[in-house]
Amino acid sequence: MVALRDPEYVMNLARMGSGFPNRLSFMRSLLRRLHRENWRFERTRFDLDEQGYGISIYAAIGPDRTYSLIGFSHYLDPDMRTDRVIATQWDATFSLFDGVPTEEDIERLRHHVPKQEAGRFRPSDLCLARANKSLRLFDHVVARLSEGCQPDLDIITSVGYLMRTTAVYSNGKFGCGGRERTASRPEAVGAFQLEMLTVFLVRWFTIDLVEHVARVRGGNAAVSLDPEISRFLGIGNSTGLGMAPFMVRYPILINNWVMVREEALSRVRGLNNASPDTIAQFEANLIKVRQHVDEWNVDDDIQTARIERLRLDLAELQDAVSGGLLSGDAPWDHLYRFAEDNLSVEMQELAVSMILEPHGETVDGLCDCMYAEVYPKLDATMTVGALRCLVKRHYGWALDIDFREPSAQQNFWYYSEEKLEPRFSDRYEVPGAEMEMPLAVGRDVNRMMAVLDDAAVDDHTLVAEFVMKHPEYRHVIRRVQTVARYPYGEIYDNLVAADVRPIDMLRFKLAFFGAAKFDPRSDRWTRITMYQGAPMPHELGDVSCENWTFPVMPSIGD
Amino acid sequence: MVGHVSLTEPFSLSELRFYLTRAGVGAGAPFGVAEDFAEMAVCVARMGIDPSGLAAAALEALATGDGVPTINVCDDRLVPETGGVISCMFAGGVLYDQLSVRTAPSGLTLGPVDCPLLVAAFMCAMEDGLYVVTWPDGTLVVRDSVPVCMAAHDVPQACNAAAVTMTVRPDGQVPRDVLFDQNALRDACARPSDEGVCMDRASWAVIYEYFERYLVPSSEEARATAAGAGLVDTD
């Protein structure tokens, strides 16, 4: 039995920002379900004009119900083309509808979906999304297909998607159906399953759209995308700060995600030996991962340096495996310890993903635990003495920070009046810090302890009494008590420090989604690719829904 | 449209929580108290009642000082520390805490408090037990976090904001004159998750005014740099 990795070890920004997708990721578990339950997929409407503008509808038909993606593609003024929350126009907008829409539903959605946040939606509208083209790749693919040729694989590899989503809203936003509506459905119990389904269907739309435009341009000369290239095209996403508050707001849910991953890792590391088949699987995957990483190129200097180091680490791991690293007892534990002792943090987390990959039978069932229906509550019966102990045990890192130093709370998180866009600014330069989001958990815990000490509050005093006099600490006490029970739900780092990189929080969550090819645009914005390498919906019964992650450039002649 | 939101379609419970938590902060409540306030409103909404009028009244009361945020405990009475009327936004949490710490509570009296129905509905946050909450215009019975019946001479009046004294009796006697039977209340509780909650226009305007206080004004520089991505993406 190998112990789970410590929460403070796992949940610090440096390691969180080195996350990779694994077989427990949400899109992986979704595809396994869709395959297992024989879901059918139909394109029930495709009314696009010669420029590709119009309406399309895709149905996902499961054993109990149908979900329909309704998409509207539009002209987008080049000057209005932005991935930001403040955008007001997009190349395509979508809604995932609960069931089969009537003509009345479609007309209503035609009016509201293109407006996105400015529209109003009904509980039957489960998700709301939008996407913009990767112009260089989209135009290239249209040109090639219209001429009867397949697109250039190097260009495909450098981008990875025809379109990228810039937001996927759900859970009651703008009037959409809340989680209460779907939480009891088997296909929706897991985390973000309907959002992952939405994106899976949007990907399909992007293939259909590019082929349609190519056919219009090329007529009989046009060809469809080679199926391997279609699969190699994922759906991009442009991720900004909007994900960050979620990470802090739902500690129990985050705890459950991470605990599942750590439990899975512990189980596999605890295996006494590895079968020849499993080792062969791992070795084959290692070769594929090395090529995948070789094909992962970004503009960001920090990430480029990490990727270069990762390539060296993978070579070193390859040498170790070839030298018999997996031949003894507890081989997976040996491999993990080798990575921990010798290789970069990014490689260590990649190793976690690779270790889990051949062990579906051991770990896949844990996906059913990656949700939470419990919400944080204040335990007013706790004594202040017990509270102090919890703080010292779980927030010692925060007590060690001198928050009187300006750099210790250099930044603040907030919602802008401009379309509620989440932003991150220097509190000494930008006014508004008095309305900051409550993400400075370490600072607030620190302050609370100072008040407890300054007022010499007796250890036997109940929290009920303290919080009645100091309601400003109700929130942080509730959090401390929650984290004590769900320790993987905290980020053990100062989220307002001068050197914090919000992108580390984003990558952590995106890795759980199943995203790859992280392409930072700044320290608070990244592009990623989802479902790259995955079967298309109509292929789920034929093409393996396993082994598609860490995809590599297909080998196809023109 | 008020505050970018059209009132022709209902609000989801998630939206209620989002807007009311931040409106509570905008009115001057600490974040944790504002979270409880939002949850009170959600509890009322789950009963099939539009909470917006009460929420708006609670926000105004706190912001203007009519609702007192500080509370004292005197035996089995919760009273405003400085006189006046207790803000329901603070009362719900304190009531919850005091009920939690009493091993054999015979009952608590709270008041005067504004918006009694919000406070009463917060008993749905108590996990186990039977709670009978009474105030001059109404009675609410909550069993194991589910409202099981509500008795009121006049439902709209029971929903009014009013400076009243409330009594909470754990394991109290369920009144006979129920307005809703269990099935009807169960259906009413199920309705918001399927249909959302329609809010009163004037009340929503008040709520949004306080919500806007939580938003930080934008500037050209913040617009350009604070989100981390450029303003135009053409690649």
Side-chain angles (χ1 to χ4, degrees):
Chain A
M1 175 73 183
V2 174
L4 274 61
R5 297 189 297 176
D6 189 80
E8 273 199 57
Y9 179 80
V10 167
M11 292 297 288
N12 61 71
L13 288 176
R15 192 165 293 272
M16 292 168 67
S18 302
F20 283 90
N22 59 62
R23 64 179 305 118
L24 302 172
S25 299
F26 308 147
M27 57 182 73
R28 293 286 299 275
S29 60
L30 173 72
L31 290 199
R32 283 197 295 269
R33 173 184 292 279
L34 299 180
H35 169 77
R36 187 171 67 241
E37 295 179 353
N38 296 313
W39 284 57
R40 291 185 296 111
F41 296 87
E42 295 176 7
R43 190 178 76 183
T44 59
R45 189 160 167 182
F46 196 70
D47 296 335
L48 303 189
D49 66 17
E50 292 188 347
Q51 294 177 310
Y53 306 143
I55 177 175
S56 49
I57 302 179
Y58 296 82
I61 304 162
D64 295 323
R65 60 188 56 82
T66 296
Y67 297 92
S68 301
L69 180 82
I70 304 157
F72 303 94
S73 40
H74 326 270
Y75 168 74
L76 175 56
D77 184 334
D79 290 339
M80 304 297 287
R81 180 177 295 280
T82 175
D83 291 358
R84 295 272 297 273
V85 167
I86 55 177
T88 56
Q89 294 179 21
W90 303 269
D91 281 318
T93 53
F94 307 91
S95 172
L96 184 74
F97 184 85
D98 193 5
V100 179
T102 63
E103 283 304 314
E104 186 185 340
D105 292 319
I106 293 168
E107 276 314 296
R108 174 179 62 80
L109 290 168
R110 188 197 300 273
H111 178 70
H112 286 279
V113 170
K115 297 179 182 176
Q116 293 287 290
E117 298 94 334
R120 281 306 289 177
F121 301 92
R122 293 182 179 173
S124 56
D125 314 324
L126 299 176
C127 297
L128 181 69
R130 71 280 198 117
N132 284 339
K133 294 171 186 168
S134 166
L135 287 179
R136 57 189 167 125
L137 184 62
F138 194 92
D139 292 345
H140 168 76
V141 174
V142 166
R144 282 297 193 101
L145 294 182
S146 68
E147 295 163 359
C149 302
Q150 294 296 315
D152 185 305
L153 288 174
D154 287 328
I155 298 177
I156 294 262
T157 303
S158 71
V159 179
Y161 48 82
L162 292 166
M163 298 183 81
R164 56 179 175 269
T165 54
T166 62
V168 180
Y169 294 117
S170 61
N171 194 22
K173 286 194 171 170
F174 318 114
C176 287
R179 185 156 172 80
E180 301 91 354
R181 183 182 176 96
T182 59
S184 62
R185 302 178 185 182
E187 70 272 14
V189 168
F192 289 94
Q193 293 297 279
L194 297 182
E195 292 86 344
M196 294 299 105
L197 177 64
T198 300
V199 175
F200 187 55
L201 296 174
V202 170
R203 174 180 176 239
W204 183 8
F205 164 79
T206 67
I207 302 295
D208 284 353
L209 177 64
V210 78
E211 290 181 343
H212 168 80
V213 177
R215 267 195 302 277
V216 168
R217 183 181 301 184
N220 291 334
V223 296
S224 297
L225 273 167
D226 182 285
E228 281 198 55
I229 296 179
S230 291
R231 281 195 289 279
F232 191 58
L233 284 165
I235 181 78
N237 179 263
S238 201
T239 304
L241 297 173
M243 283 199 171
F246 181 97
M247 301 268 323
V248 178
R249 183 149 181 74
Y250 298 101
I252 300 176
L253 181 63
I254 300 296
N255 173 88
N256 292 353
W257 295 358
V258 179
M259 195 156 195
V260 160
R261 184 192 67 195
E262 295 306 312
E263 170 66 24
L265 178 63
S266 168
R267 287 185 185 184
V268 176
R269 288 173 64 186
L271 295 174
N272 281 333
N273 46 50
S275 70
D277 278 350
T278 307
I279 292 176
Q281 226 179 309
F282 179 87
E283 290 175 334
N285 196 36
L286 176 53
I287 294 171
K288 193 169 80 144
V289 168
R290 290 188 69 180
Q291 184 179 346
H292 174 87
V293 174
D294 280 345
E295 295 170 3
W296 179 16
N297 296 291
V298 301
D299 294 331
D300 180 77
D301 291 338
I302 295 176
Q303 189 59 44
T304 294
R306 287 183 169 187
I307 294 171
E308 287 171 353
R309 171 68 197 271
L310 196 60
R311 291 169 182 153
L312 296 173
D313 286 345
L314 281 164
E316 192 171 340
L317 181 65
Q318 177 89 71
D319 288 343
V321 170
S322 300
L325 184 64
L326 297 176
S327 59
D329 291 341
W332 307 110
D333 188 46
H334 273 120
L335 187 148
Y336 177 79
R337 289 181 190 280
F338 173 83
E340 201 171 51
D341 292 341
N342 299 286
L343 308 177
S344 64
V345 173
E346 192 129 345
M347 183 65 232
Q348 292 169 32
E349 294 308 301
L350 178 55
V352 171
S353 295
M354 294 173 65
I355 287 170
L356 296 181
E357 192 60 34
H359 294 97
E361 285 188 7
T362 304
V363 306
D364 284 355
L366 290 168
C367 288
D368 292 341
C369 303
M370 295 175 92
Y371 73 99
E373 299 295 348
V374 179
Y375 299 98
K377 295 199 173 183
L378 185 81
D379 178 3
T381 68
M382 180 178 284
T383 64
V384 165
L387 179 65
R388 282 184 168 120
C389 286
L390 292 185
V391 170
K392 287 169 186 170
R393 188 180 314 153
H394 298 283
Y395 292 90
W397 58 272
L399 300 181
D400 288 340
I401 299 173
D402 183 358
F403 282 97
R404 293 168 301 181
E405 286 291 330
S407 62
Q409 41 176 334
Q410 187 82 35
N411 298 297
F412 73 108
W413 301 76
Y414 61 98
Y415 285 110
S416 170
E417 65 175 2
E418 197 170 0
K419 236 187 145 195
L420 306 189
E421 182 177 58
R423 292 180 181 172
F424 184 69
S425 292
D426 187 320
R427 78 172 63 238
Y428 307 114
E429 300 285 330
V430 175
E434 65 276 11
M435 285 302 166
E436 65 180 315
M437 295 184 202
L439 269 63
V441 175
R443 180 200 64 193
D444 293 345
V445 170
N446 198 302
R447 283 178 177 170
M448 179 189 70
M449 287 295 276
V451 166
L452 284 172
D453 292 343
D454 290 349
V457 179
D458 185 82
D459 276 352
H460 296 100
T461 304
L462 294 183
V463 163
E465 183 180 335
F466 175 73
V467 80
M468 189 164 61
K469 299 301 178 192
H470 294 278
E472 67 273 23
Y473 295 113
R474 188 173 189 86
H475 171 72
V476 71
I477 292 173
R478 185 155 47 207
R479 187 173 186 88
V480 168
Q481 294 175 336
T482 300
V483 167
R485 296 176 62 193
Y486 302 96
Y488 290 101
E490 186 57 273
I491 301 173
Y492 294 87
D493 253 317
N494 178 8
L495 299 183
V496 294
D499 60 353
V500 75
R501 285 166 42 90
I503 199 171
D504 290 335
M505 298 167 70
L506 309 183
R507 178 165 168 177
F508 167 86
K509 187 180 177 191
L510 289 166
F512 273 92
F513 282 7
K517 294 274 183 73
F518 299 98
D519 179 13
R521 298 277 122 179
S522 72
D523 66 351
R524 59 196 73 176
W525 195 277
T526 184
R527 289 186 185 154
I528 47 99
T529 307
M530 294 191 286
Y531 288 113
Q532 188 180 32
M536 297 301 290
H538 62 276
E539 295 177 323
L540 277 175
D542 304 320
V543 175
S544 173
C545 65
E546 297 289 355
N547 305 321
W548 55 267
T549 49
F550 300 110
V552 297
M553 184 193 302
S555 303
I556 297 166
D558 265 340
Chain B
M1 296 260 295
V2 174
H4 311 291
V5 179
S6 165
L7 292 176
T8 57
E9 299 290 354
F11 283 73
S12 67
L13 298 183
S14 290
E15 285 184 299
L16 270 187
R17 282 195 186 91
F18 178 79
Y19 283 108
L20 286 178
T21 299
R22 285 139 189 94
V25 176
F31 197 89
V33 173
E35 286 183 308
D36 289 346
F37 165 63
E39 201 55 39
M40 289 179 213
V42 167
C43 290
V44 171
R46 284 188 186 281
M47 294 161 57
I49 299 171
D50 171 16
S52 61
L54 285 167
L59 291 166
E60 295 270 48
L62 181 66
T64 58
D66 289 343
V68 173
T70 49
I71 304 169
N72 273 345
V73 178
C74 301
D75 296 325
D76 291 338
R77 291 181 55 83
L78 305 181
V79 297
E81 185 179 59
T82 55
V85 179
I86 300 172
S87 164
C88 69
M89 296 171 68
F90 289 76
V94 171
L95 182 62
Y96 174 100
D97 297 346
Q98 291 300 315
L99 287 171
S100 300
V101 301
R102 285 152 199 267
T103 52
S106 58
L108 282 174
T109 303
L110 167 72
V113 63
D114 57 30
C115 306
L117 181 58
L118 282 175
V119 180
F122 201 51
M123 292 301 98
C124 297
M126 302 298 291
E127 285 182 3
D128 295 313
L130 175 71
Y131 298 90
V132 179
V133 188
T134 56
W135 65 101
D137 291 320
T139 299
L140 179 68
V141 180
V142 176
R143 178 186 289 132
D144 298 341
S145 78
V146 177
V148 295
C149 66
M150 177 168 163
H153 305 295
D154 181 322
V155 173
Q157 195 165 345
C159 300
N160 277 351
V164 297
T165 297
M166 308 175 64
T167 302
V168 180
R169 287 195 177 78
D171 297 324
Q173 201 159 12
V174 178
R176 291 183 184 182
D177 54 336
V178 295
L179 190 66
F180 304 120
D181 64 31
Q182 287 202 21
N183 289 333
L185 194 58
R186 189 180 307 124
D187 289 344
C189 288
R191 196 179 307 124
S193 68
D194 288 324
E195 299 177 7
V197 178
C198 283
M199 284 214 258
D200 167 73
R201 181 176 295 273
S203 301
W204 167 245
V206 172
I207 292 168
Y208 196 82
E209 181 189 330
Y210 286 103
F211 172 80
E212 275 192 310
R213 297 184 184 188
Y214 186 74
L215 307 179
V216 174
S218 187
S219 67
E220 280 308 309
E221 186 185 350
R223 190 171 202 265
T225 63
L231 291 167
V232 180
D233 291 284
T234 55
D235 75 318

